[in-house]
Amino acid sequence: MVGPFGPASVFEALADNLWAIRASLWLKGTRLGQSAGELADTPTEAGDWEGMQMFLNNRVASDDGRLERVYRQFAANLTAICRAGERVAAKVLLCSVAVNLKDCPPFASSGSGSGEEQGETQRLAEQIATGDGGKTKEYATRWIAPLQERLAAEPENALLHYLLGRCQLAAGKTELATESLASARDLDLLRFRADARINEIIRSVAGAETGRGVHLVDVERAFNEDSATGIAGGDYFFEHVHFNFRGQYELARTLFAALCEQLPTEIQPKNSSLPQAASFEVCAEALALTDLEKRGVLNATLALVDKPPFLDQLGHRNWVAEQQAEVARLEKVLATDSSALQAAYLTAVQQDPNDLILRRLAGRFLLANDQIERSLIQFETLAAALPEDHQPLVMLGQGYYEQGRYREAAGNFEKACALAPDPADTLSEVAAVYLRAGELSQALAFAERAHRLRPERISTTKLLARIHLASEHLAHAYRLLRQVYALRPDDPEVLEQLAILSLQKNDNKQAAEYAKKYLKRRPDTPRLQNLYAASLRNLGRLEEAAAEYEKILAILKNNPNVLKQYVQVLRSLG
């Protein structure tokens, strides 16, 4: 439901005309259209893609009339795809869409009651969440009646439906829980998940097109049936829709079974059953799904959810703490022995030497572990197989640089920038390589080239600021960070750096403002709490500083440095 042609988007006038949409997308696929698009880019349009944050104001209720246009066009597009398959005698598998029902609270809920009633709803949600979140039968059962009572006053409130569903599930009422959790999804005002109507359309089109070689793969039903609770949730998803490792496996396994059923009879087994999918463990080994890769994906997921609308979700802080604990566990395992990791990557490459993704993973691991010669073998194979791809050249350049072959490294970096569809992005990538190597002058040169090409791009500006910080060009870094702050005032990295720089300049008032803004969304962050407390102390706001130090000590359990600062503040207070 969310996107440039969805309801409440900037392209709403165009979105009413399906042929106009298709024509505009076709034009963007041509060189002429791409060139025209680049010339027409405004600074805002050409900047970074900000994902879900870009649609926070696009709230759409379940009874919004514009949804009918979306459903109608979705059905038309889906039918057109099926007919295109028929024209080339290809069978088509249509999949229903599974989403996280059980463990994804709604992003935004309507409040049809009075301000006092809405406040009561929020207090009720917090009460349930501060218990066990409706996870145990005894605790959950006593909340069902109060929630139903509140729903009578606010029947469109997605959060109330979600809480009721969780309590019903804990009480053993799975069918009722499924209905309540589905209602929570469908009533969510930020429609980032496929709703019930979308899946109805998929099933309907699949049924209507069966005679044309179309077959339904009901992924949504399969995920619910395979889930331990009967409702798909965190067992298959990281957050609202992105599959975790088990979820990706289950999706592939479901599709594999459906695909085997559609194989031509002449290649199906004659005297045996259809082939079965390999186990999760076998697939993980073949794909080199190591603890290192798991940690990387988890860290990327944590970065994704460290911004709205996730920050406002019920239970967000607890979920983040669980994922951070898992990252810490993986890091502890990874610190013990790298030989098993090396064996995992090299074995996977040996078993499937034509898999270029495996070669990239192996090369990256070997390079990070100072096995330069062995990493270059992987990168050179990649570059030979993908001569028009800039990425292998960046990897080769990094390997050559680590070997001291600086001229060859520079040559590969320049070739990569020339080949890249987005030169500014590749220039930034090369700048980051030099930054990690501590070669600050080279890093600065590449980052400035990237910034000249895309001065409006936030990621490029932030990288340039980081290099200036590393080079101790503090005034330059501060100016660049302020530019980013003007465009993205809630960016946590920028707020932290601005707070540090302001404190260093003895601008304690500004430092306190930046730190406070950071902590408003991320309250349990000791390093920022410490910055905030220090700036409050310098401003003479000692009681507030003492309170902040107490919060830090509750998290860090009597950290000696923080305790020392706290005692000094208490002495000043007398």
Side-chain angles (χ1 to χ4, degrees):
M1 286 300 174
V2 172
F5 302 112
S9 78
V10 294
F11 298 108
E12 194 162 355
L14 179 64
D16 282 328
N17 189 323
L18 184 57
W19 289 106
I21 293 173
R22 290 176 177 173
S24 70
L25 293 175
W26 173 83
L27 184 61
K28 288 180 181 179
T30 66
R31 289 183 180 273
L32 177 62
Q34 291 162 9
S35 299
E38 287 181 8
L39 290 172
D41 271 348
T42 64
T44 300
E45 290 168 340
D48 289 347
W49 172 259
E50 295 185 36
M52 295 166 70
Q53 284 181 277
M54 300 175 71
F55 300 95
L56 295 182
N57 295 323
N58 294 29
R59 299 190 172 202
V60 181
S62 60
D63 59 355
D64 192 308
R66 292 171 297 181
L67 289 175
E68 287 303 318
R69 179 249 301 162
V70 175
Y71 296 135
R72 184 176 65 253
Q73 292 182 350
F74 177 65
N77 283 331
L78 206 55
T79 301
I81 290 170
C82 294
R83 300 289 173 85
E86 182 193 21
R87 286 196 294 273
V88 294
K91 292 183 178 181
V92 176
L93 299 179
L94 284 189
C95 298
S96 59
V97 183
V99 300
N100 187 345
L101 275 187
K102 181 171 71 71
D103 298 308
C104 179
F107 291 108
S109 297
S110 64
S112 55
S114 65
E116 184 178 341
E117 287 174 328
Q118 291 179 40
E120 185 180 338
T121 296
Q122 191 58 38
R123 285 191 294 274
L124 185 64
E126 290 169 359
Q127 276 184 286
I128 295 173
T130 52
D132 67 1
K135 294 177 183 177
T136 61
K137 184 173 183 178
E138 180 181 356
Y139 184 83
T141 301
R142 69 185 176 96
W143 286 108
I144 290 177
L147 285 166
Q148 289 172 331
E149 184 179 337
R150 288 301 315 140
L151 272 168
E154 296 186 70
E156 301 298 308
N157 191 301
L159 180 58
L160 287 173
H161 282 281
Y162 177 78
L163 292 168
L164 178 60
R166 289 302 305 252
C167 290
Q168 288 169 330
L169 183 63
K173 302 176 180 180
T174 304
E175 288 188 17
L176 290 174
T178 302
E179 292 176 10
S180 296
L181 293 170
S183 294
R185 172 201 60 196
D186 295 348
L187 292 169
D188 194 339
L189 295 178
L190 289 173
R191 311 182 75 81
F192 291 114
R193 293 177 288 176
D195 61 20
R197 184 77 179 277
I198 288 291
N199 277 325
E200 287 174 11
I201 291 169
I202 294 169
R203 294 182 181 107
S204 175
V205 170
E209 300 293 313
T210 300
R212 300 175 183 273
V214 177
H215 304 272
L216 174 69
V217 184
D218 204 335
V219 173
E220 182 188 41
R221 187 183 68 183
F223 270 47
N224 286 336
E225 289 178 350
D226 291 341
S227 175
T229 60
I231 306 174
D235 42 355
Y236 294 137
F237 296 91
F238 282 119
E239 12 66 11
H240 61 311
V241 295
H242 295 113
F243 297 116
N244 60 22
F245 309 115
R246 177 64 64 174
Q248 291 181 30
Y249 169 78
E250 292 298 335
L251 176 62
R253 186 173 68 87
T254 302
L255 278 168
F256 179 75
L259 184 65
C260 287
E261 290 176 0
Q262 302 306 320
L263 291 174
T265 54
E266 57 268 23
I267 64 172
Q268 287 189 11
K270 295 293 188 291
N271 301 314
S272 61
S273 59
L274 292 172
Q276 299 297 305
S279 69
F280 176 83
E281 291 72 22
V282 168
C283 292
E285 182 179 343
L287 295 172
L289 179 57
T290 65
D291 286 342
L292 183 63
E293 304 304 326
K294 291 177 183 177
R295 185 190 65 178
V297 173
L298 283 176
N299 279 329
T301 301
L302 286 168
L304 171 70
V305 302
D306 189 32
K307 56 179 73 78
F310 296 101
L311 291 175
D312 299 319
Q313 271 191 304
L314 184 71
H316 173 75
R317 286 163 62 185
N318 290 338
W319 183 89
V320 167
E322 290 173 3
Q323 303 310 309
Q324 288 173 335
E326 176 61 12
V327 170
R329 186 193 69 79
L330 290 170
E331 287 177 344
K332 188 175 180 180
V333 173
L334 290 168
T336 57
D337 182 21
S338 64
S339 59
L341 277 176
Q342 179 174 313
Y345 287 116
L346 295 181
T347 299
V349 170
Q350 187 176 16
Q351 290 176 347
D352 192 355
N354 293 321
D355 189 322
L356 300 181
I357 295 176
L358 289 176
R359 286 192 177 275
R360 180 177 66 82
L361 295 178
R364 187 184 63 182
F365 170 80
L366 293 166
L367 182 64
N369 285 270
D370 297 323
Q371 299 191 50
I372 312 302
E373 288 288 351
R374 300 181 79 177
S375 72
L376 286 174
I377 293 172
Q378 306 301 329
F379 297 151
E380 286 166 356
T381 302
L382 282 171
L386 303 168
E388 301 299 317
D389 192 330
H390 66 287
Q391 282 291 346
L393 294 173
V394 174
M395 297 173 189
L396 267 177
Q398 188 175 356
Y400 290 147
Y401 182 86
E402 295 290 340
Q403 259 191 342
R405 296 158 65 180
Y406 302 124
R407 182 174 295 180
E408 289 172 271
N412 276 277
F413 288 148
E414 291 296 346
K415 287 179 188 176
C417 293
L419 281 174
D422 183 351
D425 186 58
T426 304
L427 285 165
S428 295
E429 196 174 350
V430 174
V433 171
Y434 281 122
L435 177 60
R436 287 193 296 271
E439 193 67 50
L440 298 181
S441 60
Q442 287 280 44
L444 192 59
F446 275 91
E448 285 178 337
R449 285 170 62 187
H451 193 251
R452 283 195 295 271
L453 284 175
R454 289 294 193 182
E456 77 291 335
R457 183 170 287 173
I458 289 174
S459 59
T460 304
T461 307
K462 285 171 66 175
L463 174 63
L464 186 56
R466 282 199 295 272
I467 297 169
H468 278 300
L469 279 172
S471 306
E472 298 186 0
H473 304 155
L474 303 187
H476 288 296
Y478 187 82
R479 176 179 56 80
L480 291 164
L481 290 168
R482 284 288 303 176
Q483 289 176 14
V484 177
Y485 178 75
L487 296 170
R488 193 183 287 175
D490 292 319
D491 188 303
E493 179 188 355
V494 172
L495 287 170
E496 180 172 0
Q497 292 300 332
L498 284 173
I500 293 171
L501 290 173
S502 297
L503 199 60
Q504 289 176 347
K505 296 195 303 178
N506 290 321
D507 189 348
N508 292 292
K509 183 179 178 181
Q510 192 70 72
E513 288 178 9
Y514 289 133
K516 185 178 181 180
K517 190 162 189 177
Y518 184 108
L519 293 168
K520 183 180 179 181
R521 291 294 189 123
R522 305 161 185 84
D524 299 329
T525 311
R527 65 181 186 278
L528 265 296
Q529 290 172 289
N530 202 34
L531 281 173
Y532 186 43
S535 59
L536 291 173
R537 180 183 175 186
N538 294 339
L539 288 167
R541 294 158 59 180
L542 300 181
E543 290 183 358
E544 293 174 78
E548 206 61 38
Y549 282 127
E550 287 169 5
K551 293 178 188 176
I552 303 170
L553 290 169
I555 298 171
L556 297 183
K557 307 302 179 187
N558 298 324
N559 178 281
N561 293 327
V562 179
L563 189 59
K564 179 181 177 181
Q565 300 297 322
Y566 178 51
V567 170
Q568 289 176 353
V569 170
L570 292 180
R571 285 175 180 166
S572 299
L573 282 168

